[in-house]
Short mmCIF file of all heavy atoms in Angstrom, two decimals:
data_model
loop_
_atom_site.label_atom_id
_atom_site.label_comp_id
_atom_site.label_asym_id
_atom_site.label_seq_id
_atom_site.Cartn_x
_atom_site.Cartn_y
_atom_site.Cartn_z
N GLY A 366 9.70 -6.08 4.45
CA GLY A 366 8.27 -5.83 4.62
C GLY A 366 7.72 -6.44 5.94
O GLY A 366 6.71 -6.22 6.27
N LYS A 367 8.69 -7.28 6.54
CA LYS A 367 8.25 -7.91 7.83
C LYS A 367 8.38 -6.96 8.93
O LYS A 367 9.22 -6.11 9.13
CB LYS A 367 9.14 -9.05 8.16
CG LYS A 367 8.60 -9.97 9.36
CD LYS A 367 9.18 -11.28 9.41
CE LYS A 367 8.47 -12.21 10.26
NZ LYS A 367 8.23 -11.88 11.69
N ILE A 368 7.31 -6.90 9.82
CA ILE A 368 7.32 -6.06 10.91
C ILE A 368 8.13 -6.87 12.10
O ILE A 368 7.75 -8.02 12.34
CB ILE A 368 5.97 -5.69 11.42
CG1 ILE A 368 5.21 -4.96 10.48
CG2 ILE A 368 6.04 -4.94 12.83
CD1 ILE A 368 3.87 -4.39 10.74
N VAL A 369 9.10 -6.21 12.52
CA VAL A 369 10.00 -7.00 13.44
C VAL A 369 9.40 -7.34 14.78
O VAL A 369 8.91 -6.32 15.42
CB VAL A 369 11.33 -6.19 13.70
CG1 VAL A 369 12.30 -6.87 14.68
CG2 VAL A 369 11.97 -5.95 12.33
N THR A 370 9.36 -8.53 15.18
CA THR A 370 8.74 -8.97 16.37
C THR A 370 9.78 -9.37 17.34
O THR A 370 10.97 -9.38 17.13
CB THR A 370 7.90 -10.37 16.16
OG1 THR A 370 9.05 -11.33 15.73
CG2 THR A 370 7.00 -10.18 15.00
N PRO A 371 9.40 -9.69 18.62
CA PRO A 371 10.46 -10.05 19.60
C PRO A 371 11.23 -11.25 19.15
O PRO A 371 12.47 -11.39 19.35
CB PRO A 371 9.64 -10.42 20.79
CG PRO A 371 8.32 -9.47 20.78
CD PRO A 371 8.21 -9.43 19.30
N ALA A 372 10.63 -12.27 18.48
CA ALA A 372 11.20 -13.38 17.90
C ALA A 372 12.30 -13.02 16.92
O ALA A 372 13.46 -13.53 16.96
CB ALA A 372 10.37 -14.41 17.37
N ASP A 373 12.01 -12.06 16.07
CA ASP A 373 12.75 -11.46 15.03
C ASP A 373 14.09 -10.91 15.67
O ASP A 373 15.14 -10.97 15.21
CB ASP A 373 12.23 -10.55 14.04
CG ASP A 373 10.97 -11.15 13.39
OD1 ASP A 373 11.05 -12.49 13.17
OD2 ASP A 373 10.04 -10.37 12.98
N LEU A 374 13.81 -10.12 16.62
CA LEU A 374 15.05 -9.49 17.47
C LEU A 374 15.99 -10.59 17.85
O LEU A 374 17.24 -10.33 17.64
CB LEU A 374 14.55 -8.70 18.57
CG LEU A 374 13.90 -7.42 18.36
CD1 LEU A 374 13.75 -6.63 19.86
CD2 LEU A 374 14.60 -6.51 17.51
N GLY A 375 15.47 -11.67 18.51
CA GLY A 375 16.33 -12.73 18.84
C GLY A 375 17.06 -13.42 17.79
O GLY A 375 18.31 -13.61 17.71
N LEU A 376 16.23 -13.54 16.74
CA LEU A 376 16.93 -14.21 15.50
C LEU A 376 17.90 -13.40 14.93
O LEU A 376 18.98 -13.85 14.53
CB LEU A 376 15.68 -14.49 14.47
CG LEU A 376 15.99 -15.21 13.25
CD1 LEU A 376 14.49 -15.92 13.01
CD2 LEU A 376 16.34 -14.43 12.12
N LEU A 377 17.73 -12.07 14.83
CA LEU A 377 18.85 -11.18 14.24
C LEU A 377 20.08 -11.18 15.18
O LEU A 377 21.09 -11.15 14.75
CB LEU A 377 18.19 -9.72 14.11
CG LEU A 377 17.07 -9.63 12.97
CD1 LEU A 377 16.30 -8.30 13.15
CD2 LEU A 377 17.78 -9.65 11.65
#
Side-chain angles (χ1 to χ4, degrees):
K367 187 164 200 298
I368 295 182
V369 177
T370 63
D373 297 334
L374 284 188
L376 191 147
L377 291 163

